[in-house]
Amino acid sequence: MRTIRDMTSILISGASIAGTTLAYWLREHGFTVTVVERATEVREGGYKVDIRGAALEVVERMGLLEKIRTLRTDVRTGSVVDGGGRQVAGMDGDSFGGRVHQDAELHRGDLARLLHEATGGVEHVFGDSIASIDGTRVTFDSGLVRHFDLIVGADGLHSNTRALAFGPEERFVHDLGYNVSIFSVPNHLGLDREELTYVGPGRTALLYSTRQDTGAKAMFLWAAGSTARDRAGQQRALADAYRGSGWEVPRLLEAMAEAPDFYCDSLSQVRMDSWHAGRVALVGDAAYCASPASGQGTSLALVGAYVLAGELKRAAGDHATAFPAYEARMRPFVAANQALGTGNIKRMVLSSPFQVRMSMVMLRLVNLLPGKDRIMAKVVEPIHRAATAIDLPASW
Ligand SMILES: Cc1cc2nc3c(=O)[nH]c(=O)nc-3n(C[C@H](O)[C@H](O)[C@H](O)COP(=O)(O)OP(=O)(O)OC[C@H]3O[C@@H](n4cnc5c(N)ncnc54)[C@H](O)[C@@H]3O)c2cc1C
């Protein structure tokens, strides 16, 4: 006999962290799942991301923790450098990245691939996108029309599902007043699993290499209004923002024209009064992007997907019960982690030359202190608190 869950068909838009984790758990709970992804395959590559706190429990329950350990970036050291490239302060890679205990850092693309490999039995449709939603009737860009009981948008910061079911992006995406750019560069300093940070007024630049990467990645965070939408405009804005910067910045900027994976966007958070409307719900960045400055977007996506799938199981597919329950369980966790994003960015990008000078003096002092590990532990503590600010039921 088929159960209510077998008969509930769920369409997920987006095959990245949130969408694929949701697909995994919904399939485990017996639902019929289809994932539609705009890209023609699982998107590989990208920057490094963290899995912390409650999110570790989610991947452990998926049986993926050991594999994730083998994919760790293994960044051994993190340093702040001055305009001449001299080290101002240095520490081990995990402390520098705000990680404690089992927290793991890996490439976003590696995680996406691993999650995808775990979703056998789920129908995937690549190279298509939802064009319209009318109750249970979904029309795709390809012209295909299908019916689903429920639709979940896991399609990221600029979510298509959110725009179709909730309204225009401007209502929900809040620009924090900074831009972020990241792209691959030649590893001309010969970094070996190291991360370097250079801080100037209103602009910060990072360069890192990981175990998986023979090259390096350059990342830029700078105070600015909304970024241009086109690549040429974004590259001009980035070059203007860092004009006159010291350290390796001019050389890194020279490399951006050739970068195959240039990424640039405003640093934003998604804030919504509700993450569900009728038969449609949102998960991950689409619903509650905390911004890359939080370092918690991946963990929010993993935990949110686990909770949404669990509440749907508990309610036997009744979305009118499950969607509000998902939201109630996730709200405090999201609030704690979004607060990290708005707080961290002010420490990552310093506003004035005075702040930069003071910060360098402090870092030099801390670097000389015998108890610098204990001081760092205090810095990491709020991240750990936010990352564990939810109790996950062992079963649903
Ligand atoms: C530069 C940068 C640095 C970051 N650093 C960190 C970090 O250090 N730690 C951390 O935890 N997080 C970090 N993040 C955040 C992290 O990448 C995201 O929070 C996380 O990937 C969210 O997952 P998601 O599945 O919700 O969305 P995404 O990963 O954005 O995935 C959305 C998916 O939807 C697909 N899609 C988009 N539009 C459509 C459509 N119309 N139809 C179908 N599919 C569509 C996309 O192709 C993509 O596959 C960073 C992000 C950036 C940009």
Side-chain angles (χ1 to χ4, degrees), residues 13-18 36-38 43 47-50 108 128-129 154-156 160 180 182 263 284-285 292 295-298 301:
S13 172
S16 180
I17 313 304
V36 60
E37 164 61 50
R38 188 180 50 185
R43 291 167 61 206
Y47 36 86
K48 52 192 177 60
V49 299
D50 301 293
R108 199 204 62 84
D128 210 348
S129 172
D155 36 15
N160 172 51
V180 58
I182 187 159
Y263 169 90
D285 272 9
Q296 277 293 94
T298 305

Side-chain angles (χ1 to χ4, degrees), residues 83-260:
R86 287 172 294 267
Q87 190 191 59
V88 175
M91 59 204 75
D92 73 85
D94 279 341
S95 302
F96 198 72
R99 288 178 294 281
V100 291
H101 310 306
Q102 303 287 312
D103 295 352
E105 180 181 72
L106 71 167
H107 285 272
R108 199 204 62 84
D110 285 344
L111 178 60
R113 185 175 20 85
L114 195 61
L115 292 169
H116 180 70
E117 284 166 4
T119 56
V122 168
E123 179 192 18
H124 282 87
V125 180
F126 285 99
D128 210 348
S129 172
I130 302 174
S132 68
I133 302 169
D134 182 4
T136 60
R137 185 175 194 271
V138 176
T139 307
F140 292 87
D141 282 354
S142 59
L144 194 71
V145 176
R146 288 176 65 175
H147 286 265
F148 297 93
D149 296 306
L150 304 175
I151 296 123
V152 182
D155 36 15
L157 173 61
H158 301 293
S159 168
N160 172 51
T161 312
R162 189 183 58 223
L164 291 172
F166 296 80
E169 172 156 326
E170 303 76 66
R171 282 175 49 196
F172 310 115
V173 175
H174 294 261
D175 187 339
L176 298 183
Y178 301 83
N179 286 342
V180 58
S181 179
I182 187 159
F183 49 90
S184 297
V185 294
N187 188 359
H188 67 273
L189 293 181
L191 299 180
D192 175 16
R193 294 164 292 157
E194 292 165 74
E195 180 162 353
L196 304 178
T197 301
Y198 165 72
V199 185
R203 55 200 190 187
T204 292
L206 297 93
L207 181 66
Y208 66 79
S209 80
T210 63
R211 186 159 58 85
Q212 290 80 6
D213 212 348
T214 50
K217 289 260 191 306
M219 183 166 167
F220 299 85
L221 285 163
W222 73 102
S226 287
T227 177
R229 281 286 169 142
D230 64 301
R231 182 173 161 138
Q234 291 171 340
Q235 295 196 345
R236 266 197 309 278
L238 175 54
D240 286 347
Y242 284 79
R243 200 171 303 288
S245 289
W247 185 52
E248 299 292 325
V249 170
R251 200 158 172 186
L252 300 178
L253 293 180
E254 264 172 39
M256 80 180 153
E258 300 298 319

Side-chain angles (χ1 to χ4, degrees), residues 264-281:
C264 185
D265 205 347
S266 306
L267 208 75
S268 303
Q269 289 194 333
V270 174
R271 300 180 197 146
M272 303 181 75
D273 292 337
S274 177
W275 303 326
H276 56 93
R279 293 177 173 276
V280 182

Side-chain angles (χ1 to χ4, degrees), residues 50-52 290-292 294-301 333 337 340 383 386-387:
D50 301 293
I51 304 180
R52 295 190 178 88
S291 90
S294 74
Q296 277 293 94
T298 305
S299 293
L300 283 175
F333 184 56
N337 286 287
L340 281 183
I383 303 173

Side-chain angles (χ1 to χ4, degrees), residues 29-46:
H29 298 331
F31 293 97
T32 303
V33 187
T34 300
V35 180
V36 60
E37 164 61 50
R38 188 180 50 185
T40 50
E41 56 190 357
V42 175
R43 291 167 61 206
E44 297 272 335

